[in-house]
Amino acid sequence: MNALKVALYILVYPGFLFQSGFSTFLEWLDRKVYARMQNRRGPMYTGWAGILQPIADIVKLLSKEDIVPAAADQRAFAFMPILSLAAVFTAGLYLPVWHLRSFNSFEGDLIVVLYLLTIPSFALFLAGWFSVSPYSLLGATRVLTQLFAYEVPFFMAVLTPAVLAGSWQISKIAIFPWTVAGHWWVIPIELIAFVVAILALQAKLERVPFDIPEAETEVVGGPLTEYSGKKLAIFRLQKDILMYVGAALVACVFLGGFGALPQGGDQASIGVLGLVFGGYLGGVAGLLLGVVGLLLKTTLVVFLLSTLRAACARIRIDQIVRFSWRYLAPWSVAQFLIVLLLKAKGAV
Amino acid sequence: MFKKLIKWARTKSPWVLHFNSGACNACDIEILAALMPHYDLERFGVQLKATPRHADVLLCSGPVTKQIAPRLKRIYEQMPEPKAVVAVGACACSGGAFRGCYNVLEGVDQIIPVAAYIPGCPIKPEALIDGVAKLLGKA
């Protein structure tokens, strides 16, 4: 029975099926928002308002011919998409989307998720490296250069709320603003770290203005230049799930996750909605509201990412390195100091 | 059932690669116009791709100069199956204004198989959308 439950967790919710479905929805939303901001309509005729467009793309790619270049390392070439998909998918399992804590959560899962989210970048680098094409190689080296730029600010920004909450467990960080009455103000004081995390997440996802590794006017398709068919489909799915996991992580850590809602008996939930609904909806309904709350917050983060993508143009590789180390890293250090001072004064 | 799903996905998500084989740039501007906000080909799921490995449809303009012919062939061979070629503009269909010149091959179909011809000098973006839609209806 327990094994069945775990299998359901892994395969259906919050595992593979849910992650794939919701992340394709997020890609559709991202494309729609991007199109509307460019005065376009975006996908229209694939399902309602084009909502099935990402699924059509992936099914089409799965049904296409799969070319492996003769010069490429056959096994490594085929292994990289699977490795990166497995990494982001495993990271998604640690997110507390259902209960207060996910079935495999433990003290320190935030660090595990952060490391798992680094693997796709390395897989992308190795994918470009093993496909042995000049454009792939250039793109691959850019992936690594960019990784060194955004990774440290991202880690520092995400660890700030952890220090604030005094825990390395995502669910505890997420519930922290709602545990004591009137404690929600810890959300606005983390604004700087939130901005840094959004910018670094955009760089991690390699989207405009940080799409330097796959800048099509310079390096054709970047590390994915030689990928086609099924392997490209897996990479696309991986990118969507990475967007979902990254956005949901930011929503959990900075925006209070499923918070402000009743989550069963063991935690006091004193947010506004908790006060309103807590008396009437216990158990399942409260859980559902929590899930909807978290998904709405995730969607909000993706909306911010799309806005950033539509508003900016691509910058150069030296500019992103300079920007991260000159601005993002000091900003996150400043945020860290603010939080430490607050904690020292006993305000939190 | 499975075949139907694949066919649905293929008609809903044609990714295009734009290749200029010696055109005067007029058709290329019109292709870009079709992708821009006013006509917005992404409504039909069309996306412009940078590499032939990702593309399903090759939008080829120009009469194919003798120098570019082997490169065009190579680009075509790099695309994964199933693939289709659209000859964009009078030059790509038959040589157009360059017909009879010593250095051109008079049309894309001299080198690679063409699925749809869109004549015009230059083509209108509407003509391109119509041609691609007819091609997808045939698929």
Side-chain angles (χ1 to χ4, degrees):
Chain A
M1 193 58 203
N2 215 14
L4 184 73
K5 219 171 165 185
V6 169
L8 270 182
Y9 277 138
I10 290 177
L11 289 178
V12 181
Y13 186 94
F16 194 70
L17 271 182
F18 167 73
Q19 284 184 24
S20 315
F22 190 63
S23 62
T24 49
F25 164 74
L26 287 180
E27 193 206 330
W28 169 78
L29 184 90
D30 171 53
R31 277 168 76 168
K32 273 301 219 201
V33 170
Y34 189 56
R36 285 314 290 153
M37 286 186 186
Q38 294 179 335
N39 213 4
R40 295 188 290 122
R41 310 281 317 179
M44 288 293 282
Y45 301 108
T46 317
W48 177 78
I51 197 164
L52 296 177
Q53 188 63 50
I55 298 175
D57 288 348
I58 286 170
V59 171
K60 179 207 69 177
L61 284 174
L62 284 175
S63 71
K64 284 206 79 154
E65 185 189 0
D66 203 344
I67 301 174
V68 180
D73 185 320
Q74 313 284 321
R75 272 196 212 138
F77 192 77
F79 178 62
M80 285 312 147
I82 300 167
L83 173 69
S84 56
L85 181 67
V88 287
F89 163 63
T90 315
L93 286 179
Y94 285 97
L95 293 170
V97 279
W98 178 260
H99 290 283
L100 268 179
R101 52 197 58 167
S102 59
F103 69 99
N104 52 358
S105 120
F106 58 94
E107 184 66 36
D109 53 4
L110 178 64
I111 313 239
V112 174
V113 168
L114 286 177
Y115 273 99
L116 282 172
L117 289 184
T118 313
I119 291 180
S121 302
F122 279 102
L124 204 59
F125 162 72
L126 288 174
W129 188 264
F130 284 124
S131 47
V132 195
S133 133
Y135 303 117
S136 308
L137 285 179
L138 268 177
T141 49
R142 285 178 178 202
V143 169
L144 268 200
T145 317
Q146 185 161 320
L147 180 77
F148 288 121
Y150 66 74
E151 200 68 0
V152 171
F154 185 65
F155 273 39
M156 275 166 48
V158 171
L159 295 188
T160 309
V163 169
L164 195 64
S167 167
W168 299 106
Q169 196 166 0
I170 300 175
S171 46
K172 278 191 189 154
I173 302 169
I175 202 72
F176 179 67
W178 320 111
T179 42
V180 185
H183 224 171
W184 55 270
W185 55 268
V186 298
I187 292 177
I189 61 166
E190 287 161 359
L191 183 68
I192 305 174
F194 179 67
V195 171
V196 171
I198 289 274
L199 288 171
L201 183 62
Q202 186 85 333
K204 191 184 259 304
L205 290 164
E206 282 157 17
R207 286 142 54 89
V208 181
F210 308 119
D211 64 332
I212 305 149
E214 45 196 58
E216 66 269 12
T217 41
E218 295 163 25
V219 288
V220 189
L224 299 183
T225 301
E226 296 291 341
Y227 275 86
S228 61
K230 294 181 193 63
K231 300 185 184 88
L232 183 63
I234 295 177
F235 262 123
R236 269 187 83 87
L237 188 63
Q238 172 258 325
K239 197 140 221 196
D240 288 352
I241 296 185
L242 181 61
M243 182 159 77
Y244 154 68
V245 174
L249 180 71
V250 168
C252 277
V253 167
F254 289 102
L255 302 177
F258 42 72
L261 292 165
Q263 293 287 332
D266 59 325
Q267 288 277 353
S269 50
I270 320 213
V272 180
L273 282 174
L275 275 182
V276 175
F277 293 113
Y280 306 103
L281 309 163
V284 176
L287 278 179
L288 279 178
L289 271 178
V291 170
V292 169
L294 177 64
L295 296 189
L296 279 179
K297 283 170 185 172
T298 310
T299 313
L300 174 74
V301 172
V302 170
F303 179 77
L304 288 177
L305 292 176
S306 317
T307 316
L308 191 61
R309 181 158 86 106
C312 298
R314 187 191 309 132
I315 58 176
R316 283 197 318 267
I317 188 79
D318 61 318
Q319 285 169 330
I320 178 180
V321 175
R322 195 180 308 143
F323 175 72
S324 319
W325 287 105
R326 191 174 285 175
Y327 298 105
L328 290 188
W331 284 352
S332 39
V333 170
Q335 175 73 77
F336 209 70
L337 286 179
I338 291 172
V339 165
L340 282 184
L341 280 175
L342 279 173
K343 270 191 98 82
K345 289 188 77 178
V348 181
Chain B
M1 164 73 188
F2 204 62
K3 272 188 180 154
K4 241 178 148 177
L5 178 73
I6 289 175
K7 194 185 158 191
W8 168 80
R10 275 182 190 154
T11 49
K12 290 298 183 189
S13 149
W15 290 353
V16 301
L17 176 74
H18 173 204
F19 186 77
N20 179 342
S21 67
C24 67
N25 220 21
C27 288
D28 305 289
I29 291 171
E30 300 300 326
I31 291 173
L32 293 186
L35 294 160
M36 288 289 134
H38 192 75
Y39 293 100
D40 188 21
L41 271 177
E42 206 199 352
R43 284 180 298 152
F44 306 102
V46 174
Q47 279 190 320
L48 184 67
K49 287 290 154 182
T51 147
R53 297 273 195 230
H54 300 186
D56 307 300
V57 177
L58 178 63
L59 294 180
C60 188
S61 61
V64 188
T65 62
K66 278 186 178 155
Q67 190 182 18
I68 216 161
R71 284 152 208 182
L72 174 61
K73 197 167 177 212
R74 194 159 168 221
I75 291 271
Y76 177 73
E77 282 162 357
Q78 279 174 343
M79 288 167 64
E81 293 281 353
K83 53 193 170 184
V85 179
V86 177
V88 176
C91 302
C93 294
S94 65
F98 303 103
R99 197 175 173 86
C101 282
Y102 68 96
N103 58 344
V104 301
L105 286 175
E106 304 180 351
V108 178
D109 54 5
Q110 307 285 316
I111 296 291
I112 51 179
V114 173
Y117 297 87
I118 303 173
C121 187
I123 56 152
K124 276 187 149 191
E126 291 100 323
L128 178 72
I129 295 170
D130 186 45
V132 172
K134 276 183 182 154
L135 177 74
L136 294 176
K138 220 170 62 175

